[in-house]
Amino acid sequence: MQDLNEILDQIPIRHDVFSYIMFLGITIGFLLSFVILLRSYKKNIAFRFLALFLIIQATITLDNFLCYTGLMKYTIGFNDSSEPLVLILGPSIYLFVYTLLKRKRIALKHSGLHLIPAILYGISQLQYYLQSDSIKLNAYLNAYFPKLKTASVPNNIDYSYLLIKDEFRWLILASFTIYILLSFRILYFYLRRQNTSLSRKTIHNKYSFTRNLVISFLIVFIIIFSIYLNYEDDSGDHYITVFVNFTVIIIALIMVSESRFFENTWIAEKYETSSFKDQKISIEEIKEFIEKDKFYLQSSASLKKLSEELNSSSNYISQVINTSTGLNFNDFINQYRIETSKLRLTDPNYSHLTIEAIGNSVGFNSKSTFYNSFRKHVAMSPKAFVTLKKAT
């Protein structure tokens, strides 16, 4: 024990720009994950996976921070304890991309399958976790302080766990490769399905946010590969950790910049006291759904039904429509119906239908409702519109 304490006392404590960035990343990672878990809509599973990623990243960074600064000597029994968590980073990013872009819930048993590699690796290292502090100290010293004296250990120690531990870096690269490819596949099919080009107004929409996150993930992979080619041990891990922490800081900045707190009119907002301000559905997403599935042609279309389809609340959807367009839900939907009815009123393929029937075909339940809405949006009756079109 005296020998162990003497060696621990030799380990220097160092603090530099790398340690400060790591400490900042730890703080922001834990804080941001807790904010997401507390404030995100309970049915928004995607951001639960993002919170999981942030918690795991912060925990791994804490481990690297202790190792890099030398503070690990005070908690030597936990050396390398976060290794299995690294194999959850890839799955957590992929599941975030999957649930956010596909808007599908994923069953626990299916998401749990992605944890199997981390669990199996953790089981394979149980022998190491149960070793004495002397063994863990020597493992730490060999990686970070190879010139310092190591602790004496018995000769009959079984080091068979090293067979897998020594290949751990390649397990990480394999995991990252698989989940980067899967994430880019989701992004590709999402963009192809939407067939949209992103404008400057939607820089931080869900596609660009997830795309940039996956690209950062790819850059991490490249950095890890470069570090592994130049370092045979863990002494280069702080470079990887610093870049990942920059990614976390950027995520925090994006989330803060998207907050309604910084809107000029947030104090006077009609819906300022709404309990749904933490939900994130844009008017572009609402329009996208309505147009793609021609939701407005359904005579049963309602605010409640739309909110259920978007997995949100009717009050929140109403808020987004009202603040973005200045229209209530009925006028918003009727705009689409009237534009479609204008096309059908002058389309020879619909010439066999009466004006009332055309109104019914675009979702209006009665002739009076169709006429009133048409006059409101076109400033003339449907019959007058047809007459005008025939004359021109």
Side-chain angles (χ1 to χ4, degrees):
M1 181 62 71
Q2 183 177 0
D3 176 52
L4 182 64
N5 291 331
E6 289 177 357
I7 296 173
L8 288 172
D9 289 339
Q10 294 180 60
I11 298 176
I13 302 297
R14 59 180 173 186
H15 293 292
D16 54 25
V17 65
F18 292 109
S19 65
Y20 299 144
I21 294 174
M22 282 191 277
F23 183 78
L24 180 62
I26 294 167
T27 305
I28 293 178
F30 280 125
L31 180 61
L32 194 57
S33 63
F34 292 145
V35 170
I36 291 174
L37 291 173
L38 290 173
R39 300 293 297 164
S40 62
Y41 186 49
K42 64 180 180 180
K43 292 185 179 180
N44 195 332
I45 304 300
F47 279 91
R48 302 281 171 168
F49 286 120
L50 180 60
L52 174 65
F53 166 78
L54 292 170
I55 291 174
I56 292 174
Q57 176 275 332
T59 303
I60 295 170
T61 300
L62 177 59
D63 190 342
N64 291 335
F65 172 78
L66 294 174
C67 290
Y68 179 78
T69 59
L71 294 173
M72 181 58 77
K73 69 180 183 179
Y74 299 114
T75 56
I76 196 63
F78 295 99
N79 182 51
D80 285 342
S81 59
S82 68
E83 278 188 342
L85 296 179
V86 181
L87 296 176
I88 305 180
L89 289 176
S92 61
I93 289 295
Y94 166 71
L95 292 172
F96 167 70
V97 173
Y98 179 90
T99 51
L100 184 66
L101 296 188
K102 286 207 168 189
R103 288 171 55 195
K104 292 181 179 179
R105 295 179 66 88
I106 186 167
L108 180 61
K109 63 179 181 180
H110 293 152
S111 60
L113 293 175
H114 297 277
L115 303 179
I116 291 178
I119 294 172
L120 291 178
Y121 180 78
I123 293 174
S124 74
Q125 297 304 297
L126 281 176
Q127 185 181 0
Y128 169 76
Y129 300 141
L130 298 176
Q131 293 287 1
S132 65
D133 287 350
S134 298
I135 299 295
K136 296 176 182 178
L137 174 59
N138 288 346
Y140 172 62
L141 292 176
N142 289 332
Y144 287 90
F145 302 98
K147 295 182 179 180
L148 293 183
K149 174 186 175 183
T150 57
S152 58
V153 296
N155 295 325
N156 60 345
I157 298 296
D158 181 7
Y159 292 99
S160 58
Y161 59 85
L162 290 175
L163 292 174
I164 297 180
K165 191 178 183 69
D166 288 343
E167 305 301 325
F168 180 61
R169 54 179 53 197
W170 306 116
L171 293 177
I172 296 174
L173 290 176
S175 175
F176 275 37
T177 301
I178 292 171
Y179 286 105
I180 286 172
L181 292 175
L182 289 174
S183 298
F184 272 117
R185 183 174 180 271
I186 296 294
L187 289 167
Y188 170 75
F189 283 109
Y190 174 82
L191 187 59
R192 184 177 178 182
R193 184 176 73 251
Q194 302 305 317
N195 193 26
T196 58
S197 58
L198 301 175
S199 65
R200 291 182 181 179
K201 293 182 180 180
T202 57
I203 289 177
H204 294 313
N205 69 9
K206 64 181 181 181
Y207 170 80
S208 58
F209 179 80
T210 51
R211 178 200 61 199
N212 294 338
L213 186 62
V214 174
I215 290 175
S216 299
F217 196 31
L218 175 61
I219 296 174
V220 170
F221 169 83
I222 295 172
I223 292 176
I224 290 176
F225 187 75
S226 301
I227 294 298
Y228 285 174
L229 289 179
N230 291 278
Y231 293 87
E232 294 184 357
D233 48 43
D234 298 337
S235 57
D237 285 1
H238 59 286
Y239 294 113
I240 302 170
T241 305
V242 164
F243 180 80
V244 174
N245 286 335
F246 273 126
T247 302
V248 172
I249 293 171
I250 291 172
I251 292 174
L253 291 175
I254 290 174
M255 294 184 71
V256 170
S257 67
E258 290 292 291
S259 170
R260 289 181 67 247
F261 182 84
F262 295 99
E263 292 181 7
N264 292 332
T265 59
W266 75 276
I267 294 179
E269 283 284 344
K270 174 182 177 181
Y271 296 97
E272 178 55 42
T273 59
S274 171
S275 60
F276 304 101
K277 59 179 179 292
D278 56 319
Q279 299 180 35
K280 290 292 182 182
I281 296 180
S282 66
I283 188 64
E284 288 79 12
E285 291 175 277
I286 295 174
K287 289 179 177 179
E288 175 187 303
F289 173 79
I290 289 175
E291 294 167 6
K292 183 180 68 173
D293 296 335
K294 296 191 183 314
F295 175 80
Y296 55 89
L297 293 182
Q298 302 175 24
S299 60
S300 61
S302 65
L303 180 59
K304 181 180 179 181
K305 187 173 182 179
L306 177 61
S307 64
E308 289 175 351
E309 292 287 347
L310 295 175
N311 196 25
S312 185
S313 67
S314 56
N315 284 349
Y316 179 72
I317 297 299
S318 175
Q319 170 187 340
V320 174
I321 293 174
N322 184 266
T323 55
S324 301
T325 67
L327 303 173
N328 59 35
F329 172 78
N330 288 332
D331 287 338
F332 178 69
I333 289 294
N334 286 344
Q335 274 191 147
Y336 286 96
R337 291 172 170 172
I338 295 303
E339 289 302 313
T340 303
S341 69
K342 286 165 63 178
L343 295 174
R344 294 184 178 183
L345 285 168
T346 56
D347 188 343
N349 293 326
Y350 290 88
S351 59
H352 63 287
L353 296 179
T354 64
I355 291 179
E356 182 180 355
I358 287 179
N360 291 334
S361 74
V362 296
F364 288 102
N365 292 317
S366 67
K367 179 179 178 180
S368 61
T369 304
F370 175 47
Y371 269 70
N372 290 336
S373 182
F374 199 96
R375 287 193 184 94
K376 182 174 183 179
H377 291 278
V378 189
M380 64 178 73
S381 69
K383 186 174 181 179
F385 175 78
V386 173
T387 302
L388 178 64
K389 287 296 182 180
K390 287 182 178 180
T392 55

